[in-house]
């Protein structure tokens, strides 16, 4: 999905960057294997080749660093918590989500999937809910995630957000929505019979 937050944009860039490196490695190794299959060269006096062995040990290590450093940078960026403008608490149940806007008094609601037989013509099957979350764009948003019964996972792919909802534990994540829109997600931790039927909008 297209990114709707700065972090997801960076994750997309990192994916493309890693894919380029993998493509280069695959082409190089494929070319060398092809050459080995088809050429007739032989060297009777070859006992060891320390120079080439040093090169083919050090080069992959350097290539791995080109993947590791951007990856670590993103990992730490995703854990960064800035001063949030609004906090939403999301609680996973079998098999629906309930939300509390803890900055306001008594603003809490349950969010169930709309059954297929009650769906509007322009609704999204298995993705629409009866009560959607409303969040401001271009603001730091903090989500606190927990569960009441089993493990769940609160996930919205286009925002680059995935947090485990663990009973007895409060996990938090931070993000910015940088364009208006409708963003869909689903529970991403197998949580029982109706795991597929607890979407997030």
């Amino acid at each position: 999905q297209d990114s709707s937050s700065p972090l997801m944009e960076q994750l997309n860039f990192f994916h493309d960057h890693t894919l380029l490196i993998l493509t280069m490695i695959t082409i190089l190794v494929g070319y060398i294997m092809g050459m080995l299959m088809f050429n007739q060269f032989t060297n009777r006096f070859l006992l060891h080749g320390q120079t080439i062995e040093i090169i083919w040990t050090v080069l992959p290590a350097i290539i791995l660093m080109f993947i590791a450093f951007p990856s670590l940078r993103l990992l730490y960026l995703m854990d960064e918590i800035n001063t949030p403008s609004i906090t939403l608490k999301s609680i996973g149940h079998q098999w629906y989500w309930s939300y509390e806007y803890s900055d306001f008094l008594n603003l809490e609601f349950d969010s169930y999937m709309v059954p297929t037989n009650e769906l509007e013509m322009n609704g999204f099957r298995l993705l629409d809910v009866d009560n959607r979350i409303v969040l401001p764009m271009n603001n730091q948003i903090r989500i606190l995630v927990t569960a009441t019964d089993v493990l769940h996972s609160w996930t919205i792919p286009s925002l680059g957000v995935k947090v485990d909802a663990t009973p007895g534990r409060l996990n938090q994540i931070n993000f910015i929505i940088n364009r208006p829109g409708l963003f869909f997600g689903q529970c991403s931790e197998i949580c029982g019979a109706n795991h597929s039927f607890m979407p997030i909008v």
Side-chain angles (χ1 to χ4, degrees):
Q1 294 181 21
D2 288 343
S3 68
S4 310
S5 78
L7 261 177
M8 189 58 197
E9 196 171 27
Q10 289 297 313
L11 283 167
N12 277 339
F13 289 153
F14 174 66
H15 170 264
D16 296 344
H17 164 81
T18 311
L19 213 57
L20 264 179
I21 292 176
L22 286 177
T23 308
M24 292 191 317
I25 293 171
T26 312
I27 289 169
L28 180 69
V29 173
Y31 172 74
I32 292 171
M33 284 172 70
M35 291 299 289
L36 280 173
M37 300 291 243
F38 295 115
N39 74 33
Q40 304 292 320
F41 301 135
T42 171
N43 183 349
R44 291 191 301 141
F45 305 109
L46 184 68
L47 295 172
H48 61 82
Q50 274 181 331
T51 321
I52 189 73
E53 283 179 14
I54 289 170
I55 291 170
W56 72 42
T57 305
V58 172
L59 201 63
I62 294 169
I63 292 171
L64 280 178
M65 280 160 67
F66 272 98
I67 297 177
F69 286 132
S71 169
L72 285 168
R73 173 182 153 266
L74 268 177
L75 202 60
Y76 281 100
L77 268 178
M78 289 173 80
D79 258 352
E80 195 73 49
I81 297 290
N82 302 308
T83 317
S85 311
I86 187 168
T87 300
L88 173 71
K89 188 175 180 188
S90 164
I91 304 151
H93 308 265
Q94 281 179 314
W95 285 276
Y96 65 96
W97 295 98
S98 60
Y99 299 101
E100 297 171 11
Y101 284 86
S102 33
D103 303 326
F104 310 102
L105 292 172
N106 303 327
L107 184 48
E108 50 187 77
F109 56 89
D110 295 338
S111 179
Y112 289 88
M113 184 191 80
V114 180
T116 309
N117 56 352
E118 294 172 22
L119 205 58
E120 307 264 324
M121 281 301 286
N122 59 355
F124 290 95
R125 186 178 157 273
L126 301 185
L127 279 178
D128 252 325
V129 294
D130 55 359
N131 291 315
R132 293 171 172 174
I133 316 162
V134 180
L135 290 170
M137 60 178 268
N138 294 334
N139 276 291
Q140 287 285 347
I141 298 161
R142 173 174 57 184
I143 308 268
L144 301 172
V145 185
T146 185
T148 53
D149 36 45
V150 295
L151 288 177
H152 298 280
S153 184
W154 197 86
T155 306
I156 297 184
S158 60
L159 296 176
V161 174
K162 180 179 272 189
V163 202
D164 277 354
T166 314
R169 181 189 171 110
L170 208 55
N171 288 329
Q172 90 173 347
I173 197 152
N174 192 62
F175 62 86
I176 299 175
I177 302 173
N178 60 12
R179 64 186 173 94
L182 202 54
F183 308 114
F184 293 94
Q186 286 171 302
C187 174
S188 297
E189 187 72 65
I190 295 194
C191 57
N194 290 343
H195 158 68
S196 317
F197 311 113
M198 44 184 300
I200 302 150
V201 187

